[in-house]
Structures are given as C-alpha cells and as structure tokens.
Amino acid sequence: YEEIILPESEFFVAFDYKVGNNIVDSSSRFQQSNEVLKLPVFVAGKKTSAITVDFETAATDLNGVFTINPELNQSLAIEDVDFEILNSSKQLNFPDGVGYDTIFVRAKNSGFTGHKFVFINLTGNSAGYNIGYLSGVNGDSIVHASHRIRFY
C-alpha cells in the first residue's frame, strides 16, 4: 500500500526554502572564497523509475521578478570567474523518481565591490512534473523554482 499525499497533477520539483526573521527566502549569501554552498532540490511525486532535473545559471529568476540593478551597486556574478558549479553537469538525478539531490556551488573570489548576484533556475525534468510550488493556502511570493545567490 502506497499512500499518495498529492494528486499527480500537483507533483513538483523545487528548491527548499529558509524561514528566518519572519520572512520566507530562497536565497543564499557568500562572503569567503572557496566556501561551498549546498542547494537541495526536492522531487515530490510517486516513487517510480529514475528522473532527471535540469538547471541553469541566469541573471534573473524564472519569473523576472528580481533583476540586477547597477544603480544599487549590483552586478552579475560570472560563472567560472566568481563562482563555479561543482556538479559534473547541470542535471540532477533521482534514481527512485522522488527525494532530493544537491547542487554544489563554490565561490571563487571574495572582497567584491558592491554585491554580485546570480540565480540558479530549475528549467525542466524528465517526468514532466511542475517546476516549483506555492506553499500554504494562498502560497507565498516565492515559487521555489529559482534560488538567488548573493556574493559580497
């Protein structure tokens, strides 16, 4: 007997989120070079055959809500210059079709002038599950399909 908690139409792939200081956030901060950030990605679905989840680095989140503002001394963090993705590819593997895997990001520089940002966006999955989710009755403002990283 396998209990199904979500209807199949609501199966999803998403980043975890943090709750602190009365805010829900899907972001991280780097202050030191060589620091490794671990970003868990979860698949909520039905235990089945293996699925994969694709991700990318980008200058904005998937919804285009947050963009980099040079007037606020913000700039884009550049992959392989300011940070590197330590996963062997930009694809995560879920052998049982559910559970979590981790994206590993290492800062390469420190002592930035201003703040540098980059987004890790979940872009697709082989099972066709929803990308991200809204938590709670009305959801929150974060769909958990993007993770913002700030370097300072």
Side-chain angles (χ1 to χ4, degrees):
Y1 171 72
E2 182 177 1
E3 182 178 349
I4 304 296
I5 297 173
L6 291 172
E8 193 167 329
S9 64
E10 295 181 18
F11 291 173
F12 65 86
V13 174
F15 285 106
D16 191 9
Y17 66 92
K18 301 180 290 188
V19 178
N21 299 326
N22 298 319
I23 61 169
V24 176
D25 197 9
S26 188
S27 67
S28 301
R29 297 178 191 149
F30 275 125
Q31 286 183 295
Q32 300 177 15
S33 61
N34 291 318
E35 181 180 357
V36 175
L37 177 64
K38 300 172 186 173
L39 305 174
V41 174
F42 294 88
V43 174
K46 186 175 182 181
K47 193 170 184 177
T48 183
S49 58
I51 71 167
T52 57
V53 173
D54 300 315
F55 64 92
E56 68 179 5
T57 60
T60 187
D61 63 344
L62 288 175
N63 296 325
V65 172
F66 181 89
T67 55
I68 294 166
N69 185 346
E71 292 178 10
L72 297 175
N73 208 16
Q74 299 173 347
S75 60
L76 177 64
I78 306 298
E79 188 172 356
D80 295 325
V81 173
D82 299 313
F83 70 95
E84 62 184 323
I85 303 292
L86 299 179
N87 302 65
S88 60
S89 70
K90 290 186 179 173
Q91 188 173 73
L92 300 175
N93 297 297
F94 298 82
D96 295 326
V98 294
Y100 80 94
D101 199 354
T102 306
I103 298 171
F104 297 95
V105 181
R106 179 172 46 215
K108 293 183 82 170
N109 291 317
S110 62
F112 296 105
T113 300
H115 300 283
K116 289 194 172 190
F117 292 90
V118 71
F119 283 86
I120 309 292
N121 295 325
L122 303 177
T123 57
N125 65 85
S126 62
Y129 293 164
N130 297 315
I131 301 291
Y133 70 94
L134 295 174
S135 62
V137 175
N138 297 315
D140 56 46
S141 62
I142 303 169
V143 297
H144 311 284
S146 298
H147 189 93
R148 181 179 68 193
I149 303 173
R150 180 172 72 166
F151 301 83
Y152 62 101

